Amino acid sequence: MAKGLQGFSWTMLLLFCAIQELGTWAVHTAVEGPGLGQPGDPALLAGGRVKRGWVWNQFFVVEEYTGTEPLYVGKIHSDSDEGDGSIKYTISGEGAGTIFLIDEITGDIHATERLDREQKTFYTLRAQARDRQTDQLLEPESEFIIKVQDINDSEPRFLEGPYIGSVAELSPIGTSVMQVMASDADDPTYGSSARVVYSVLEGEQHFTVDSKTGVIRTAVADLDRETQDRYEVVIRATDMAGQLGGLSGSTTVTIVITDVNDNPPRFPQKMYQFSVVETAPVGTAIGRVKAEDSDVGENTDMTYQVKDEEGVEMFKVTTDSNTQEAVISVQKPLDYESKKVHTVVVEALNKFVDPRFVDLGTFRDQTIVRVSVLDVDEPPEFRPPSNLMEVQEDAHIGSVVGIVTALDPDTANHPVRYAIDRSTDTERIFDIDANTGAIVTGKVLDRETAGWHNITVLAMEADNHSQVSRASLRIRILDVNDNPPELATPYEAAVCEDAKPGQLIQTISVVDRDEPQSGHRFYFTLAPEATNNHHFSLLDIKDNTAAVHTQRVGFNRQEQDVYLLPILVVDSGPPALSSTGTLTIRICGCDSNGAIQSCNSTAYVVSATLSPGALIALLVCILILVVLVLLILTLKRHHKSHLTSEDDEDMRDNVIKYNDEGGGEQDTEAYDMSALRSLYDFSEIKGGDGGGGLGEGVPSGNPASELHALPQWVQSPDLDFSMFRDYICKKVEQADEDLSVPPYDSFQTYAFEGSDSPVPSLSSINTWSSGSEQDFSYLGVWGPRFRQLAALYAGRRGEEDNEES
């Protein structure tokens, strides 16, 4: 608190408050609300001035008051107060009764606590004037404000620290680095408590700061990162505009000096020495060199190059992007016998050059690299490196194809021996002389079998077979005319019976396995055995093809349906070779437009020259047909019991088969009798001219008409059952022959069932009339299958005889 009131005179403060209090008697504050006089009120003065009920001044209280007595703030007063103590003054609102107390009689307000403007700048309260006896409001309640008056009790603070800035080295004087700002919690609208100025406490030799804005700038132009790469600068901020008694705060600013490319690369050594064996393959790294650079970052990126012509041809220099080293590698095979030492000039230069600092000196440096080639025992070398040889296919065994030569490149010049890598010549078609390198044929050659041969020849030192070299050799077999020409395919042609003379039948071409250097030339003629041919002619088209034409009017395939035309083909040699091929010509029937319709069966005879694939396809088709025929026969045999003659089918139209024994017309659970009745036209029973009625003594000879008239045979003694007997005999024979059919005595066959049926049953079992003369004795000879049926009928017949007797 003592610091907050530093340099403050309490005497001046009390005097200031007294002056303010003195002015309260002359100031009247308007209060809006019910207390205001209304128009026409007698309180209105002649000059139009409104009489006001409240009288007080603007209230202020100084913060951080440290006195022992309450601090007087101000006085509220009503103009209706006559000073007799009849009015009681009260306050309410922020801090009323705790921070601020009021004298009920005089209206004086005092502050009892220390106030801090930085925490709260003003307090809002309400004043009341009441009658002390009745406690009624004498004046409308009015709101007023007590402001906390600021004193310089807060120092400037740098709230955004720590501060880190940067500036490039060698920057000119006055280059802006960064800006710092301090804040002061005091009231910026009152006095100079919050007016801040900046200054440099430490580091003023290299940097300055703007007193109003806080911008830090360079004070010198020779800042060198390589000498010092960072500075710690202390900046101070002082309030009261820097006057005596002002408060201050400080912060430390770290300023980093960034690098610029102001240093050229330099090789630590002016000469480097490396060694490499002469057999080192191309691309082998020999060594590394590096130029030093005091800069950092991309300013140290290097580019290396070889400057001398000899070094450019033999060696290559690349830059390692991670280490910025120059990597020297072999670019061309080395030879100790040719040159033992190589001198290479390597130059280093910065990849990124700043043009502002070019005048500081050249930004490149050179060094010498000496490369010593070490001698090693090398395998023989083939000379010359030609890898192509030629030999004619009719060369005799032992004929020389060519000679390979290899020499020892070492100074000792050891003798060389030759061999063939047999993994590349497993058939031993070629041999080689171990001393001279002469390659000779070991077998008879055939260009048509293999036109090229690739072999590997080995050359090794005579006293050290581990020193071996390999050379790939391509041997081309030259063609000789040793294969006759042949027809390109077994030609077949078709010609219509009504063909006209001169009609083109087929164009012939040939193939020849030989490949003469001058190209193929073939000649076509009819073979001598076809000189008397008057049906067809052959025309050589002179382009290695020939055309076959008809030479007569019309053909008759009934007389001859196939013609065989032999054709002689000769090549151009040397020597000229020939062969005879046959053109098969078939005579076919054609329509009016000349389209072939059919040829004689001889045209479809399988040729002996059919390919295996065609034969297999033909056999598969035949096998499929056989399987289909067998399947059809099996299905027919399976359904044989259901296939009958036309007469049987007519009979079966009126015979219904079922296995259930019915109970008559009323029994409809086992079988639908309407289906049975629908078989006949019962209208024929009523008419006397229905054909085959009761007046007919003998049924018609037509089986269909006889069956149709069956419902009219009502227990007639003259019925003829021969038709049923013949039918049943046929079925018995079929059943005896077909063992797959179950025995007929396992079920019964009826046309009708039931005694109450309006139409009599066809079954003889249910015929109880004694007038029937049907003899069922023949059932006994039908075999064991009908034994039960024969016994049934025989028993029935015996009962009838007993009844008659």
Side-chain angles (χ1 to χ4, degrees):
M1 180 59 66
K3 181 179 179 181
L5 298 178
Q6 182 179 0
F8 187 85
S9 174
W10 277 107
T11 303
M12 295 298 294
L13 178 61
L14 294 175
L15 179 60
F16 175 75
C17 292
I19 295 175
Q20 285 188 331
E21 183 65 22
L22 183 62
T24 59
W25 300 107
V27 178
H28 295 270
T29 302
V31 180
E32 296 183 3
L36 279 175
Q38 301 297 326
D41 196 316
L44 292 175
L45 300 180
R49 181 179 177 186
V50 180
K51 179 181 180 182
R52 291 164 174 81
W54 288 105
V55 179
W56 57 59
N57 64 322
Q58 181 72 39
F59 297 119
F60 292 92
V61 59
V62 179
E63 67 170 334
E64 304 295 346
Y65 172 70
T66 58
T68 58
E69 298 295 331
L71 178 62
Y72 179 77
V73 177
K75 182 182 183 69
I76 62 173
H77 182 73
S78 173
D79 55 2
S80 60
D81 188 1
E82 298 179 356
D84 56 358
S86 62
I87 297 178
K88 180 176 68 174
Y89 296 98
T90 61
I91 59 174
S92 63
E94 297 177 333
T98 55
I99 300 176
F100 301 105
L101 299 178
I102 186 171
D103 190 318
E104 295 182 351
I105 298 176
T106 63
D108 294 333
I109 300 174
H110 292 80
T112 61
E113 296 181 7
R114 294 174 56 187
L115 302 180
D116 187 358
R117 191 202 67 83
E118 285 70 35
Q119 293 183 0
K120 191 172 181 61
T121 58
F122 64 89
Y123 295 84
T124 301
L125 295 96
R126 292 179 298 279
Q128 303 94 23
R130 298 178 179 271
D131 186 276
R132 187 176 295 275
Q133 299 297 330
T134 64
D135 200 33
Q136 292 182 354
L137 285 175
L138 300 178
E139 298 286 350
E141 185 179 71
S142 180
E143 185 178 273
F144 64 95
I145 295 175
I146 299 176
K147 291 186 177 182
V148 181
Q149 191 168 358
D150 181 56
I151 63 173
N152 189 20
D153 61 342
S154 298
E155 73 276 7
R157 296 177 181 273
F158 293 92
L159 302 179
E160 298 180 2
Y163 294 93
I164 299 177
S166 63
V167 63
E169 62 176 332
L170 303 181
S171 296
I173 297 176
T175 301
S176 176
V177 179
M178 65 180 301
Q179 183 181 19
V180 295
M181 293 187 67
S183 61
D184 196 316
D186 293 325
D187 188 0
T189 63
Y190 180 76
S192 300
S193 299
R195 291 181 59 189
V196 179
V197 295
Y198 302 93
S199 60
V200 179
L201 285 184
E202 297 180 11
E204 65 275 5
Q205 301 89 350
H206 302 94
F207 301 95
T208 61
V209 64
D210 189 290
S211 61
K212 295 181 179 180
T213 63
V215 175
I216 303 173
R217 303 179 184 275
T218 58
V220 293
D222 59 350
L223 293 176
D224 187 8
R225 187 203 63 81
E226 288 74 30
T227 302
Q228 184 174 348
D229 61 353
R230 91 179 36 233
Y231 293 88
E232 303 291 338
V233 180
V234 179
I235 304 297
R236 180 173 62 184
T238 307
D239 60 11
M240 296 298 290
Q243 298 177 5
L244 183 64
L247 304 180
S248 63
S250 62
T251 186
T252 300
V253 179
T254 301
I255 300 177
V256 178
I257 308 301
T258 59
D259 184 64
V260 297
N261 194 9
D262 59 338
N263 294 282
R266 292 290 181 264
F267 283 105
Q269 300 175 215
K270 289 303 179 182
M271 179 177 291
Y272 296 86
Q273 291 190 357
F274 300 101
S275 60
V276 60
V277 296
E278 61 175 334
T279 57
V282 174
T284 301
I286 299 174
R288 293 171 174 250
V289 296
K290 183 179 180 181
E292 302 294 341
D293 194 326
S294 302
D295 297 321
V296 294
E298 68 176 13
N299 294 325
T300 61
D301 290 351
M302 298 289 179
T303 299
Y304 298 92
Q305 59 186 3
V306 179
K307 294 299 294 181
D308 60 308
E309 295 182 0
E310 178 188 357
V312 170
E313 181 181 2
M314 299 298 298
F315 302 97
K316 181 174 69 173
V317 178
T318 57
T319 304
D320 189 328
S321 59
N322 295 324
T323 62
Q324 297 301 315
E325 293 177 313
V327 181
I328 304 171
S329 57
V330 178
Q331 184 168 262
K332 188 176 180 180
L334 303 173
D335 186 10
Y336 172 82
E337 289 72 25
S338 299
K339 190 169 186 177
K340 298 178 177 60
V341 178
H342 296 270
T343 301
V344 184
V345 177
V346 178
E347 182 180 66
L349 61 156
N350 278 135
K351 190 174 182 179
F352 305 102
V353 178
D354 194 333
R356 297 176 300 172
F357 308 106
V358 174
D359 56 348
L360 297 180
T362 176
F363 281 81
R364 61 183 63 201
D365 194 18
Q366 292 182 351
T367 188
I368 297 175
V369 178
R370 289 173 55 87
V371 180
S372 300
V373 181
L374 304 179
D375 185 32
V376 295
D377 189 7
E378 300 175 89
E381 294 180 355
F382 286 93
R383 301 177 184 178
S386 176
N387 62 347
L388 176 62
M389 293 183 180
E390 295 179 345
V391 60
Q392 288 191 333
E393 63 176 324
D394 60 350
H396 298 289
I397 296 177
S399 299
V400 177
V401 179
I403 298 176
V404 295
T405 302
L407 299 177
D408 184 8
D410 297 324
T411 307
N413 194 16
H414 297 98
V416 178
R417 296 293 180 264
Y418 302 94
I420 293 178
D421 186 351
R422 288 305 172 185
S423 63
T424 61
D425 184 24
T426 56
E427 298 181 3
R428 295 183 174 271
I429 299 176
F430 302 97
D431 292 322
I432 190 171
D433 189 293
N435 297 317
T436 64
I439 299 175
V440 297
T441 58
K443 288 185 178 181
V444 176
L445 304 176
D446 184 10
R447 188 203 64 82
E448 286 69 36
T449 302
W452 289 86
H453 295 274
N454 298 320
I455 64 174
T456 300
V457 179
L458 309 178
M460 63 199 77
E461 294 182 1
D463 54 353
N464 185 6
H465 288 182
S466 63
Q467 295 296 326
V468 59
S469 296
R470 298 172 176 266
S472 297
L473 186 62
R474 301 171 65 240
I475 301 176
R476 178 182 180 184
I477 309 302
L478 300 179
D479 182 56
V480 296
N481 193 28
D482 57 348
N483 293 280
E486 299 175 351
L487 293 183
T489 182
Y491 286 102
E492 288 192 8
V495 62
C496 296
E497 288 184 297
D498 57 352
K500 298 178 176 54
Q503 181 175 333
L504 177 63
I505 299 175
Q506 182 71 46
T507 300
I508 304 298
S509 62
V510 298
V511 293
D512 194 332
R513 298 177 61 190
D514 295 321
E515 292 184 358
Q517 296 181 356
S518 59
H520 287 290
R521 177 67 179 94
F522 303 109
Y523 305 93
F524 300 85
T525 60
L526 291 177
E529 57 268 26
T531 53
N532 296 326
N533 167 65
H534 302 292
H535 308 291
F536 306 98
S537 63
L538 180 67
L539 176 62
D540 191 341
I541 307 179
K542 307 299 184 182
D543 62 349
N544 291 340
T545 61
V548 179
H549 297 83
T550 57
Q551 199 174 1
R552 53 173 281 188
V553 178
F555 295 87
N556 189 347
R557 57 175 171 167
Q558 301 299 330
E559 296 178 357
Q560 184 174 354
D561 60 350
V562 177
Y563 291 87
L564 301 178
L565 186 64
I567 300 174
L568 178 65
V569 184
V570 183
D571 62 16
S572 57
L577 301 179
S578 63
S579 68
T580 301
T582 301
L583 170 64
T584 302
I585 304 174
R586 303 188 184 279
I587 308 302
C588 302
C590 304
D591 59 12
S592 59
N593 297 324
I596 295 176
Q597 296 295 324
S598 63
C599 300
N600 281 2
S601 60
T602 54
Y604 302 101
V605 175
V606 178
S607 174
T609 59
L610 282 178
S611 63
L615 291 175
I616 293 174
L618 184 60
L619 292 176
V620 170
C621 293
I622 294 174
L623 180 60
I624 292 174
L625 291 176
V626 172
V627 172
L628 289 176
V629 171
L630 293 177
L631 180 61
I632 293 172
L633 293 176
T634 302
L635 293 176
K636 284 186 176 182
R637 181 175 179 83
H638 181 70
H639 297 286
K640 183 176 180 182
S641 62
H642 302 287
L643 300 177
T644 60
S645 63
E646 183 178 356
D647 295 340
D648 293 339
E649 290 179 358
D650 293 337
M651 181 62 67
R652 285 190 300 171
D653 287 343
N654 296 310
V655 177
I656 307 302
K657 300 178 182 179
Y658 56 94
N659 297 335
D660 297 328
E661 183 68 26
E665 186 73 18
Q666 292 76 16
D667 185 4
T668 59
E669 295 182 358
Y671 200 85
D672 186 2
M673 300 304 296
S674 63
L676 298 176
R677 295 191 185 98
S678 64
L679 295 174
Y680 308 102
D681 185 2
F682 291 100
S683 62
E684 297 179 0
I685 302 177
K686 299 178 181 179
D689 56 350
L694 293 175
E696 300 288 341
V698 179
S700 172
N702 189 350
S705 63
E706 291 175 2
L707 292 176
H708 200 67
L710 280 177
Q712 302 177 17
W713 301 345
V714 181
Q715 298 184 3
S716 174
D718 299 328
L719 294 177
D720 183 8
F721 291 93
S722 61
M723 182 183 303
F724 293 99
R725 182 171 60 252
D726 295 339
Y727 173 75
I728 295 175
C729 288
K730 290 182 181 180
K731 289 299 180 182
V732 169
E733 293 176 1
Q734 293 179 2
D736 290 338
E737 293 175 358
D738 191 356
L739 299 179
S740 63
V741 178
Y744 269 66
D745 57 358
S746 64
F747 61 91
Q748 288 75 36
T749 302
Y750 305 100
F752 293 99
E753 183 63 34
S755 60
D756 295 334
S757 174
V759 181
S761 174
L762 293 179
S763 175
S764 60
I765 298 177
N766 208 25
T767 304
W768 299 98
S769 173
S770 61
S772 175
E773 297 179 359
Q774 176 67 27
D775 185 9
F776 297 101
S777 61
Y778 59 85
L779 294 176
V781 298
W782 282 5
R785 293 175 179 265
F786 298 90
R787 183 178 303 166
Q788 183 178 355
L789 184 61
L792 179 64
Y793 273 82
R796 180 69 63 184
R797 185 64 177 175
E799 292 177 2
E800 290 178 357
D801 293 340
N802 293 334
E803 290 176 359
E804 291 176 358
S805 63

